[in-house]
Each structure stands twice: as structure tokens, then as C-alpha cells.
Amino acid sequence: MERTLAIIKPDAVSRNLIGSFISRIESNEFNVVAIKRAWLTKGLAERFYAVHKERPFFNSLTDFMSSGPVVLMVLEHENAIMGWRELMGATNPAEAAEGTIRKEFGLDLERNSSHGSDSPENAAFEIKFFFSETEILP
């Protein structure tokens, strides 16, 4: 079994889509082994997205991610990282496949409603960034 971090971003939380996301996650046989709601500060968002610090979208992304509550989850599934990324769809909702979360719920490239780890190394970092070991079910 593999674990990945999933985030329901502020645009989706503000539209009351948390239940829709969890339903989609569970119907695709992912186990939610940790979940919490948080409001990221700008500084926390900057630390989390530090890998993108030199990118032109960094300030806009961190402003957006600190603009409202998010839902943070640790998902478990065989091939969880790739499976969650496939379920989310392409970063740009306009390019995402039909039936994916971003196609259905995403508003635009930045407000694409969800985040997922892109590698085992990043998943390990991202999960530890937001969750302690005692918050994650064994």
C-alpha cells in the first residue's frame, strides 16, 4: 500500500464540495487514513510550495492557498500517488479528462480544486509537513 497527500483547495471548500470529494475518493477505493481542515497562513503556504519559489506563479499560488480553509488528507491505496493524480486529472481543468475531479470541479489553472503528491519522495515530505504520526491511522 502507498500513501499520498491530497488537498481540497480553498475554491472547492468554499463551494461546499468536501462531501463530493470524499465520496469520489471512497468510491475509487482509496482509504482516508488522516483528515483535517485547516486555514494555511501565507508563510505556511510558502514553505509548503517552496519547490516553486522561483516560478512566476509562486506568489499567486501561495496567496490563493492561504485565502480560505483547505481539507488535508492522507490517502492510502495500491499505487496511491498515480491513482490520485489520475482521479484528479490534468492541472488545467480545461485539459482534464472527462470524469476527473478537476474537470468536474476545477475553475481554472490555479483554482483547480485539488492537490496531490507527484512522487513517493514528495508524498513523504508533504504528509509529514501537515500530519504527525499519531494523526495517521495505522
Side-chain angles (χ1 to χ4, degrees):
M1 286 299 217
E2 184 176 63
R3 290 180 173 173
T4 190
L5 181 78
I7 302 176
I8 304 174
K9 292 183 177 181
D11 63 296
V13 172
S14 70
R15 291 180 286 145
N16 297 315
L17 296 173
I18 297 168
S20 297
F21 271 69
I22 291 173
S23 177
R24 182 78 63 91
I25 288 164
E26 291 182 335
S27 69
N28 280 274
E29 300 180 4
F30 287 87
N31 293 318
V32 179
V33 296
I35 186 169
K36 63 183 167 183
R37 187 177 172 134
W39 194 320
L40 307 182
T41 64
K42 173 78 168 170
L44 193 61
E46 288 173 342
R47 288 198 339 258
F48 181 72
Y49 286 106
V51 66
H52 299 302
K53 189 170 180 82
E54 302 305 319
R55 307 297 267 310
F57 59 82
F58 179 75
N59 283 326
S60 177
L61 173 63
T62 55
D63 282 344
F64 166 60
M65 289 301 292
S66 59
S67 69
V70 298
V71 174
L72 306 158
M73 296 175 283
V74 178
L75 306 181
E76 188 175 73
H77 191 275
E78 207 170 293
N79 299 312
I81 295 166
M82 189 55 78
W84 175 238
R85 294 188 70 76
E86 287 176 7
L87 185 58
M88 283 192 305
T91 304
N92 186 343
E95 297 170 1
E98 291 297 327
T100 62
I101 286 172
R102 288 177 171 158
K103 185 68 166 184
E104 186 172 342
F105 302 121
L107 300 174
D108 56 42
L109 183 60
E110 187 170 81
R111 288 166 174 72
N112 60 18
S113 299
S114 59
H115 167 91
S117 306
D118 63 2
S119 69
E121 299 77 23
N122 283 343
F125 166 79
E126 291 178 352
I127 290 168
K128 286 181 182 172
F129 190 89
F130 288 116
F131 292 93
S132 70
E133 287 184 29
T134 60
E135 294 176 299
I136 302 172
L137 296 176

mmCIF file of all heavy atoms in Angstrom, residues 18-36:
data_model
loop_
_atom_site.group_PDB
_atom_site.id
_atom_site.type_symbol
_atom_site.label_atom_id
_atom_site.label_comp_id
_atom_site.label_asym_id
_atom_site.label_seq_id
_atom_site.Cartn_x
_atom_site.Cartn_y
_atom_site.Cartn_z
ATOM 1 N N ILE A 18 -16.666 19.336 -0.145
ATOM 2 C CA ILE A 18 -15.898 18.362 0.628
ATOM 3 C C ILE A 18 -16.534 16.972 0.525
ATOM 4 O O ILE A 18 -15.850 15.986 0.252
ATOM 5 C CB ILE A 18 -15.759 18.808 2.098
ATOM 6 C CG1 ILE A 18 -14.974 20.117 2.188
ATOM 7 C CG2 ILE A 18 -15.084 17.719 2.931
ATOM 8 C CD1 ILE A 18 -15.043 20.787 3.556
ATOM 9 N N GLY A 19 -17.824 16.879 0.742
ATOM 10 C CA GLY A 19 -18.513 15.590 0.671
ATOM 11 C C GLY A 19 -18.413 14.953 -0.702
ATOM 12 O O GLY A 19 -18.238 13.736 -0.820
ATOM 13 N N SER A 20 -18.506 15.770 -1.742
ATOM 14 C CA SER A 20 -18.380 15.250 -3.109
ATOM 15 C C SER A 20 -16.994 14.658 -3.341
ATOM 16 O O SER A 20 -16.862 13.606 -3.973
ATOM 17 C CB SER A 20 -18.643 16.354 -4.132
ATOM 18 O OG SER A 20 -19.967 16.824 -4.014
ATOM 19 N N PHE A 21 -15.975 15.330 -2.828
ATOM 20 C CA PHE A 21 -14.611 14.822 -2.959
ATOM 21 C C PHE A 21 -14.453 13.499 -2.212
ATOM 22 O O PHE A 21 -13.923 12.529 -2.755
ATOM 23 C CB PHE A 21 -13.592 15.825 -2.414
ATOM 24 C CG PHE A 21 -13.113 16.820 -3.421
ATOM 25 C CD1 PHE A 21 -13.954 17.803 -3.907
ATOM 26 C CD2 PHE A 21 -11.802 16.788 -3.870
ATOM 27 C CE1 PHE A 21 -13.507 18.732 -4.833
ATOM 28 C CE2 PHE A 21 -11.344 17.715 -4.790
ATOM 29 C CZ PHE A 21 -12.206 18.690 -5.276
ATOM 30 N N ILE A 22 -14.906 13.472 -0.970
ATOM 31 C CA ILE A 22 -14.739 12.260 -0.163
ATOM 32 C C ILE A 22 -15.518 11.104 -0.781
ATOM 33 O O ILE A 22 -15.023 9.970 -0.840
ATOM 34 C CB ILE A 22 -15.132 12.522 1.302
ATOM 35 C CG1 ILE A 22 -14.088 13.475 1.924
ATOM 36 C CG2 ILE A 22 -15.214 11.212 2.095
ATOM 37 C CD1 ILE A 22 -14.428 13.963 3.309
ATOM 38 N N SER A 23 -16.692 11.358 -1.282
ATOM 39 C CA SER A 23 -17.466 10.317 -1.955
ATOM 40 C C SER A 23 -16.704 9.767 -3.154
ATOM 41 O O SER A 23 -16.626 8.551 -3.351
ATOM 42 C CB SER A 23 -18.815 10.884 -2.400
ATOM 43 O OG SER A 23 -19.545 9.915 -3.115
ATOM 44 N N ARG A 24 -16.125 10.657 -3.941
ATOM 45 C CA ARG A 24 -15.355 10.230 -5.119
ATOM 46 C C ARG A 24 -14.129 9.431 -4.689
ATOM 47 O O ARG A 24 -13.790 8.415 -5.280
ATOM 48 C CB ARG A 24 -14.951 11.461 -5.921
ATOM 49 C CG ARG A 24 -14.185 11.202 -7.184
ATOM 50 C CD ARG A 24 -15.084 10.741 -8.333
ATOM 51 N NE ARG A 24 -16.048 11.740 -8.709
ATOM 52 C CZ ARG A 24 -15.853 12.657 -9.641
ATOM 53 N NH1 ARG A 24 -14.723 12.720 -10.290
ATOM 54 N NH2 ARG A 24 -16.810 13.522 -9.910
ATOM 55 N N ILE A 25 -13.455 9.891 -3.647
ATOM 56 C CA ILE A 25 -12.265 9.205 -3.133
ATOM 57 C C ILE A 25 -12.617 7.795 -2.679
ATOM 58 O O ILE A 25 -11.990 6.811 -3.067
ATOM 59 C CB ILE A 25 -11.629 10.034 -1.989
ATOM 60 C CG1 ILE A 25 -10.952 11.282 -2.569
ATOM 61 C CG2 ILE A 25 -10.650 9.200 -1.174
ATOM 62 C CD1 ILE A 25 -10.623 12.351 -1.536
ATOM 63 N N GLU A 26 -13.656 7.688 -1.862
ATOM 64 C CA GLU A 26 -14.033 6.387 -1.322
ATOM 65 C C GLU A 26 -14.605 5.460 -2.388
ATOM 66 O O GLU A 26 -14.363 4.251 -2.356
ATOM 67 C CB GLU A 26 -15.004 6.557 -0.155
ATOM 68 C CG GLU A 26 -14.325 7.186 1.053
ATOM 69 C CD GLU A 26 -15.230 7.338 2.256
ATOM 70 O OE1 GLU A 26 -16.468 7.415 2.088
ATOM 71 O OE2 GLU A 26 -14.681 7.383 3.365
ATOM 72 N N SER A 27 -15.328 6.000 -3.346
ATOM 73 C CA SER A 27 -15.891 5.143 -4.398
ATOM 74 C C SER A 27 -14.797 4.611 -5.325
ATOM 75 O O SER A 27 -15.020 3.633 -6.040
ATOM 76 C CB SER A 27 -16.968 5.882 -5.194
ATOM 77 O OG SER A 27 -16.411 6.911 -5.973
ATOM 78 N N ASN A 28 -13.626 5.227 -5.277
ATOM 79 C CA ASN A 28 -12.479 4.733 -6.044
ATOM 80 C C ASN A 28 -11.531 3.911 -5.166
ATOM 81 O O ASN A 28 -10.377 3.707 -5.516
ATOM 82 C CB ASN A 28 -11.751 5.890 -6.722
ATOM 83 C CG ASN A 28 -12.455 6.317 -7.984
ATOM 84 O OD1 ASN A 28 -12.229 5.763 -9.050
ATOM 85 N ND2 ASN A 28 -13.362 7.275 -7.861
ATOM 86 N N GLU A 29 -12.059 3.469 -4.023
ATOM 87 C CA GLU A 29 -11.394 2.528 -3.129
ATOM 88 C C GLU A 29 -10.123 3.041 -2.457
ATOM 89 O O GLU A 29 -9.264 2.264 -2.046
ATOM 90 C CB GLU A 29 -11.153 1.192 -3.839
ATOM 91 C CG GLU A 29 -12.455 0.560 -4.300
ATOM 92 C CD GLU A 29 -12.269 -0.769 -5.000
ATOM 93 O OE1 GLU A 29 -11.136 -1.265 -5.085
ATOM 94 O OE2 GLU A 29 -13.284 -1.303 -5.471
ATOM 95 N N PHE A 30 -10.009 4.363 -2.329
ATOM 96 C CA PHE A 30 -8.947 4.939 -1.512
ATOM 97 C C PHE A 30 -9.409 4.899 -0.065
ATOM 98 O O PHE A 30 -10.597 5.095 0.212
ATOM 99 C CB PHE A 30 -8.668 6.398 -1.886
ATOM 100 C CG PHE A 30 -7.950 6.581 -3.189
ATOM 101 C CD1 PHE A 30 -8.648 6.654 -4.379
ATOM 102 C CD2 PHE A 30 -6.566 6.698 -3.219
ATOM 103 C CE1 PHE A 30 -7.997 6.835 -5.580
ATOM 104 C CE2 PHE A 30 -5.899 6.884 -4.421
ATOM 105 C CZ PHE A 30 -6.611 6.943 -5.603
ATOM 106 N N ASN A 31 -8.495 4.670 0.854
ATOM 107 C CA ASN A 31 -8.790 4.775 2.278
ATOM 108 C C ASN A 31 -8.288 6.119 2.764
ATOM 109 O O ASN A 31 -7.134 6.480 2.513
ATOM 110 C CB ASN A 31 -8.096 3.659 3.068
ATOM 111 C CG ASN A 31 -8.668 2.305 2.741
ATOM 112 O OD1 ASN A 31 -9.875 2.149 2.616
ATOM 113 N ND2 ASN A 31 -7.807 1.325 2.593
ATOM 114 N N VAL A 32 -9.142 6.867 3.457
ATOM 115 C CA VAL A 32 -8.737 8.121 4.078
ATOM 116 C C VAL A 32 -8.187 7.751 5.451
ATOM 117 O O VAL A 32 -8.947 7.407 6.347
ATOM 118 C CB VAL A 32 -9.913 9.112 4.191
ATOM 119 C CG1 VAL A 32 -9.463 10.400 4.867
ATOM 120 C CG2 VAL A 32 -10.521 9.396 2.816
ATOM 121 N N VAL A 33 -6.859 7.805 5.603
ATOM 122 C CA VAL A 33 -6.244 7.389 6.870
ATOM 123 C C VAL A 33 -5.924 8.575 7.780
ATOM 124 O O VAL A 33 -5.538 8.384 8.931
ATOM 125 C CB VAL A 33 -4.994 6.502 6.645
ATOM 126 C CG1 VAL A 33 -5.395 5.198 5.967
ATOM 127 C CG2 VAL A 33 -3.928 7.225 5.843
ATOM 128 N N ALA A 34 -6.111 9.790 7.274
ATOM 129 C CA ALA A 34 -5.988 11.007 8.081
ATOM 130 C C ALA A 34 -6.726 12.120 7.339
ATOM 131 O O ALA A 34 -6.705 12.177 6.114
ATOM 132 C CB ALA A 34 -4.531 11.388 8.304
ATOM 133 N N ILE A 35 -7.364 12.984 8.124
ATOM 134 C CA ILE A 35 -8.093 14.099 7.516
ATOM 135 C C ILE A 35 -8.211 15.227 8.534
ATOM 136 O O ILE A 35 -8.412 14.983 9.727
ATOM 137 C CB ILE A 35 -9.499 13.671 7.018
ATOM 138 C CG1 ILE A 35 -10.190 14.804 6.256
ATOM 139 C CG2 ILE A 35 -10.339 13.125 8.151
ATOM 140 C CD1 ILE A 35 -11.452 14.347 5.511
ATOM 141 N N LYS A 36 -8.045 16.452 8.062
ATOM 142 C CA LYS A 36 -8.297 17.616 8.908
ATOM 143 C C LYS A 36 -8.521 18.843 8.035
ATOM 144 O O LYS A 36 -8.079 18.908 6.895
ATOM 145 C CB LYS A 36 -7.169 17.855 9.906
ATOM 146 C CG LYS A 36 -5.812 18.163 9.332
ATOM 147 C CD LYS A 36 -4.796 18.291 10.473
ATOM 148 C CE LYS A 36 -3.377 18.298 9.982
ATOM 149 N NZ LYS A 36 -2.428 18.343 11.112
#
